[in-house]
Amino acid sequence: MPILSTLLVLGGTGEARRVAGALVTTPGLRVVSSLAGRVKAPSLPPGEVRIGGFGGTAGLAQWLRDNRVDAVVDATHPFAARITAHAVRACATTATPLLVLSRPGWTAGPGDLWHWVRTPTEAAELLPDLGRRVFLTTGRQDLAAFADLDLWFLVRAVDPPEPPVPRHAEVLLARGPFTVDGERDLLEQHRIDVLVTKDSGGIMTAAKLMAARDARIPVVVQRRPPLPTGPGVELVATVEDTVAWVRDRLEV
Ligand code: NAP
């Protein structure tokens, strides 16, 4: 069957892989998933994949034109705000429908000891009041904010971080999903007394929050950047709603 429509999925998340997986066999639909190329051995979505930046808003707009893209799904991580802003502008310029898939953030429950911060710097300022042995799960970026603290860090990341990193640190290379038992063991083994996380949401990395609650360990949670707004920006929270939107928009 000839290609009738082309969909670009901005990815790098489990949700993006599921969206691609649900749509990739749709007759007449070309689904291209895009990854930034940050991770050395990324989890690849099913189907066609391109890897690497587009070259800003203008580069993305050009790519949409060159590939005759009919719709864009931005299923990037809630903290990947730059590519989302580029998608909003590039889609507006090229009159391409855009759907942003933003999974819900986490909410504290009974027994949680959460401290909300806006930035890694705020997290670093707060940490000495909360503990001495920190489980830092905010990824490889933004470690510089913690570099000068006189605390011990267990830094978990997918790939080895580049300096500057905390002075007293052990790096644990791992990729989710994680289990509550596994997270509980990590907290105990390393005598962790405070956890730092972004409000990533989703189930892949939520187990650490339950383990911290059980151990009565405080958690520093970095707030998300604001969601994009404006004419033409549509938002959903689930993979199912995303797939339904694509089918409806592209009539596939
Ligand atoms: P970002 O700050 O929003 O984007 C930085 C630049 O990376 C963008 O300007 C773009 O380069 C390129 N880029 C980002 N996502 C891309 C994609 N899906 N396809 C092609 N180019 C992309 O992004 P980030 O926070 O560095 O995250 C990079 C990727 O990792 C994202 O795809 C995201 O879904 C995934 N991820 C991020 C986090 C996180 O905590 N930030 C966590 C898990 C996964 P050009 O300007 O050259 O186009």
Side-chain angles (χ1 to χ4, degrees):
M1 185 165 183
I3 292 167
L4 304 176
S5 302
T6 297
L7 173 73
L8 174 66
V9 180
L10 299 170
T13 59
E15 285 82 358
R17 290 191 289 278
R18 285 172 53 209
V19 169
L23 291 167
V24 76
T25 54
T26 305
L29 179 66
R30 178 185 176 212
V31 179
V32 184
S33 294
S34 175
L35 303 179
R38 291 269 194 290
V39 174
K40 279 201 195 91
S43 304
L44 290 175
E48 193 178 338
V49 180
R50 66 160 301 286
I51 298 182
F54 294 94
T57 302
L60 177 54
Q62 195 55 49
W63 199 95
L64 298 180
R65 287 190 200 97
D66 291 347
N67 288 273
R68 298 173 182 278
V69 172
D70 297 287
V72 176
V73 166
D74 173 6
T76 56
H77 191 270
F79 280 79
R82 200 176 317 159
I83 186 70
T84 296
H86 292 179
V88 169
R89 290 202 293 268
C91 286
T93 309
T94 57
T96 310
L98 168 67
L99 182 74
V100 178
L101 165 55
S102 177
R103 61 187 177 219
W106 290 317
T107 46
D112 281 327
L113 308 167
W114 289 13
H115 302 261
W116 289 92
V117 295
R118 279 170 303 172
T119 61
T121 305
E122 271 187 34
E125 283 166 7
L126 194 58
L127 274 178
D129 291 336
L130 297 176
R132 307 299 303 165
R133 297 180 64 84
V134 185
F135 186 19
L136 189 54
T137 64
T138 48
R140 276 190 307 159
Q141 301 176 47
D142 303 325
L143 292 182
F146 306 93
D148 292 331
L149 288 179
D150 199 16
L151 306 174
W152 185 86
F153 287 85
L154 177 65
V155 177
R156 182 162 67 193
V158 175
D159 283 326
E162 279 159 27
V165 296
R167 271 184 284 164
H168 317 290
E170 180 177 326
V171 175
L172 173 64
L173 298 182
R175 192 197 313 251
F178 303 105
T179 64
V180 179
D181 284 347
E183 300 293 53
R184 202 178 284 134
D185 287 350
L186 264 188
L187 298 182
E188 275 176 25
Q189 197 185 328
H190 296 280
R191 291 178 289 118
I192 298 297
D193 55 15
V194 58
L195 165 70
V196 184
T197 181
K198 292 171 174 169
D199 178 18
S200 297
I203 52 165
M204 299 266 283
T205 58
K208 61 192 171 190
L209 300 171
M210 293 165 216
R213 178 192 305 160
D214 292 349
R216 303 204 50 74
I217 288 174
V219 182
V220 179
V221 187
Q222 189 186 335
R223 285 189 196 286
R224 293 175 169 201
L227 280 168
T229 53
V233 181
E234 293 184 69
L235 287 166
V236 292
T238 67
V239 168
E240 292 70 26
D241 285 351
T242 304
V243 171
W245 181 90
V246 172
R247 293 204 183 286
D248 184 52
R249 274 299 179 132
L250 301 182
E251 298 177 6
V252 289

